Amino acid sequence: MGNYHLAIDIGASSGRCILGWLEGDRMVLEEVHRFANRQVRRNGHDCWDLELLWQGILAGLKACRARGKIPATIGIDTWAVDFVLLDPEGRLLGDAVAYRDSRTEGMDAVVERLIPAAELYAHTGIQKQSFNTIYQLAALQAEHPDQLARAGSLLMIPDYFNYLLTGVKKQEYTNATSTGLVNARDCCWDGELLDRLGLPRALFGPLSMPGTVVGPLAPDIAAQAGFASQVVLPATHDTGSAFLAVPARDDRAVYLSSGTWSLLGVENPAPITTEASRACNFTNEGGAWRRYRYLKNIMGLWMIQSVRRELNGEGYVAGKAAAPWQLDVEAGQRQWSFPDLIAAAEEAADFPSVVDVNDSAFLAPDSMIAAVQDACTASGQPRPGTVGQLMQCLYRSLSACYKEAIRSLEELTGTRYTSINIVGGGCQDMYLNRMTARATGLPVYAGPVEGTAIGNLAVQLIGAGELADLADARRCIRRSFDIHEILPGQAV
């Protein structure tokens, strides 16, 4: 048996600490701790509760010690685009404002007065999204210029937790590319863009590639954990880790990392920064070993997750009340599970309405249910009046968006794709998998579920010399985890 390695994978709703190791030619996983993630309202903004996450990370380390399974290495991945500023003494400046906060409204126009959208894309290859770090920084310049003036460091969220673990500050490449400030070809911060935006160059240091050793656990952290380990960089952007775990059979497979967001695309050896690519809003996110994740960000299961929380009387953010909506009487008289929602969708299989899941109206509405209903009404389609109709609308809309994204991908790359590989928690939704296979006419290969943690571990195992390279890692993943095949002709 090989050494233990620990993947700390933090998503929008929860974090998981997952140990991984090799037994023969197979990878084995063991979840040792799970903890909540949440947004809180602070100083007029929706923010991440960093202290809650930090205590979850420490509890995960202690759980390893309690099981007598000490990891040789530790790697952290999280979502992208969000960051913190530290003062010269390493203390937090301000809050970790979450990307769904409304502070970036109108900031694209502010940035585009300095850098036209086409020029920005030609530099960075990153798709325009209202919450990209470049727009968050413009909002911060407008609201708190003093914070930028006082800052000694800018760290993306996983960079910050690595700093807390080790006392070492490193800016990791894959997450940095999501800022919209990294030159797609040089793989470094784009100094010209920083200067034109008036951002201090001192905040943007050398970028470190996945596989880089950050350092050992700081003495006080090692004392709390009960052991000493090396912290290493995986692809700290969770999508970057998830794509590494895709056990594709050939180079004509579309990858889909399915979770709160659906990230659909392929791996390329070089960025595509043409005007046609920008018009289709495809992005060139940096990957491990300088590969490029050429993909489309799609709203994903966020809409379904939001509907379930709303039906069960929960707001999407603490302190935000859901707006009123009207569905059948049954909707408000039970607690809905995801299987319940799927069953309801199946019962409303003939409901035809489809919405644009990438519409900004669905990014952070007070009521997701009302937002979907209003979109159907505005487009002249039947308004969903039952839970089943609402869910059928969402499933149809997601699968239709996947189909359109693949069509655009084929036009932009000149490649005909023959399959879809889905990884992440969303690959467990077999109804959506069947809808996707039917809509696209392509076979779907669903799994592994823990794609992000597996990709995180793959980088650690390669760095430790236990796997030879990415191709070896993907062969190992195919041997180790269940992959379900869904053919286009299977009944929905």
Side-chain angles (χ1 to χ4, degrees), residues 77 117 191 308 485:
D77 67 78
R308 177 176 175 268
E485 181 182 45

Side-chain angles (χ1 to χ4, degrees), residues 222-278:
Q224 292 183 61
F227 59 84
S229 290
Q230 289 283 346
V231 176
V232 303
L233 296 177
T236 68
H237 183 182
D238 52 9
T239 309
S241 281
F243 266 45
L244 296 178
V246 173
R249 289 161 171 78
D250 56 43
D251 59 2
R252 296 176 67 195
V254 172
Y255 298 0
L256 175 56
S257 175
S258 181
T260 299
W261 287 90
S262 290
L263 298 311
L264 185 150
V266 295
E267 289 180 311
N268 286 334
I272 300 174
T273 58
T274 63
E275 181 60 19
S277 178
R278 184 183 77 87

Side-chain angles (χ1 to χ4, degrees), residues 392-408:
Q392 181 61 217
C393 174
L394 293 182
Y395 279 116
R396 281 181 182 268
S397 301
L398 280 170
S399 57
C401 189
Y402 297 162
K403 176 184 178 179
E404 178 59 24
I406 292 171
R407 185 194 64 78
S408 296

Side-chain angles (χ1 to χ4, degrees), residues 173 244 267-268 285-293 470 474:
Y173 167 69
L244 296 178
E267 289 180 311
N268 286 334
E285 294 177 349
W289 300 287
R290 297 194 179 219
R291 304 161 75 89
Y292 292 85
R293 298 191 312 281
L470 181 56
R474 283 178 168 157

Side-chain angles (χ1 to χ4, degrees), residues 39 41 46 98-102 105 130-131 261 299 302-303 306 309-310 316-317 320-321 357 359-368 371:
Q39 292 177 32
R41 194 75 179 168
D46 296 329
Y99 63 87
R100 293 189 191 275
D101 184 76
S102 61
E105 290 179 5
S130 64
F131 48 74
W261 287 90
M299 197 72 74
W302 160 252
M303 299 177 75
S306 297
R309 283 193 291 268
E310 199 171 337
Y316 92 94
V317 161
K320 275 196 176 183
V357 297
D359 192 304
S360 61
F362 304 127
L363 182 63
D366 289 339
S367 167
M368 185 65 75

Side-chain angles (χ1 to χ4, degrees), residues 202-217:
L203 300 181
F204 303 89
L207 294 180
S208 297
M209 290 292 171
T212 301
V213 174
V214 180
L217 291 176

